[in-house]
Amino acid sequence: MKVIMLGAPGAGKGTQAKRLAAEYNIPHISTGDIFRANIKGGTELGKKAKGYMDAGQLVPDELVCDLVVDRISQDDAKNGYVLDGFPRTIPQAEALDAALAAKGENVDYAVNIDVPDEAIISRMSGRRACVGCGATYHIIFNAPKVADVCDVCGSKLIIRDDDKPETVRNRLSVYHAQTQPLIDYYDAKGLVVNIDGTKDMDAVFAEILEKIGK
Ligand code: AMP
């Protein structure tokens, strides 16, 4: 099962992608997580990506595509994967298709989680991320047991630079200009599954499972 998650930043892709990956026992591959781990580790890739991420811009395709093609070729991905945050541009989708076609494979579903911009802006203002392990929370929808403390590792929770309001507005306009066209791209291949992302997390997950035939 090879699934890609589409939807605006803050639509709930990450949460649903993790649950879907656990359900099918396949890896959850988040390019945002890969970049954040590289920034934390002080790698060359992290240094190159940070400026774009903090400004709410996309990291250039050439820094993303090889990394993903390499990741999905690893052993744990042989039964499939859930791609979260990739592809984000038409050239990235074409690079993914080309890499899969070379192995006689293809994407099974493009799950599009639909949430209006106004709902996204109010949601993002409540997001918190752990400085230690990267776990994510929401002060209303997915609150940590103790305010500002990670349930998983006990580290402090912060607002990620890319969740700050001015960055969120930038990220939404980047999404509409560069990523939304992917809905038509995958629709033309008959792969899009549209999901109402305004419902609560469990209802959204149930709708995904129902529509992809679990
Ligand atoms: P995310 O955690 O998926 O919201 O990603 C956070 C940030 O990482 C994005 O705003 C981009 O700056 C960068 N990023 C993640 N995935 C990609 C991608 N596929 N292409 C370009 N930039 C990306």
Side-chain angles (χ1 to χ4, degrees), residues 31-32 35-36 52-53 57-59 64 85-86 88 92 160 162 171:
T31 42
F35 287 131
R36 283 184 286 277
Y52 297 101
M53 290 174 73
Q57 298 299 320
L58 295 185
V59 173
V64 189
F86 182 95
R88 251 182 166 97
Q92 290 181 16
R160 278 181 359 199
D162 59 354
R171 293 175 75 196

Side-chain angles (χ1 to χ4, degrees), residues 49-128:
K50 188 173 187 324
Y52 297 101
M53 290 174 73
D54 287 351
Q57 298 299 320
L58 295 185
V59 173
D61 291 338
E62 56 274 21
L63 293 182
V64 189
C65 292
D66 290 352
L67 182 136
V68 173
V69 169
D70 178 61
R71 177 66 189 87
I72 63 176
S73 312
Q74 288 170 21
D75 219 36
D76 66 334
K78 64 179 181 305
N79 295 325
Y81 37 81
V82 181
L83 282 179
D84 167 14
F86 182 95
R88 251 182 166 97
T89 64
I90 298 279
Q92 290 181 16
E94 289 170 346
L96 176 64
D97 277 351
L100 290 176
K103 297 191 273 187
E105 297 176 355
N106 55 275
V107 168
D108 295 301
Y109 296 103
V111 173
N112 176 38
I113 304 191
D114 193 29
V115 179
D117 283 9
E118 314 78 71
I120 300 236
I121 291 167
S122 78
R123 274 185 189 187
M124 300 276 262
S125 61
R127 293 220 310 197
R128 300 290 180 272

Side-chain angles (χ1 to χ4, degrees), residues 20 24 40 52 67 73 78 96 168-169 174 178 205:
L20 202 54
Y24 286 96
K40 208 170 162 210
Y52 297 101
L67 182 136
S73 312
K78 64 179 181 305
L96 176 64
V168 170
R169 273 188 288 277
V174 167
Q178 302 199 55
F205 189 56

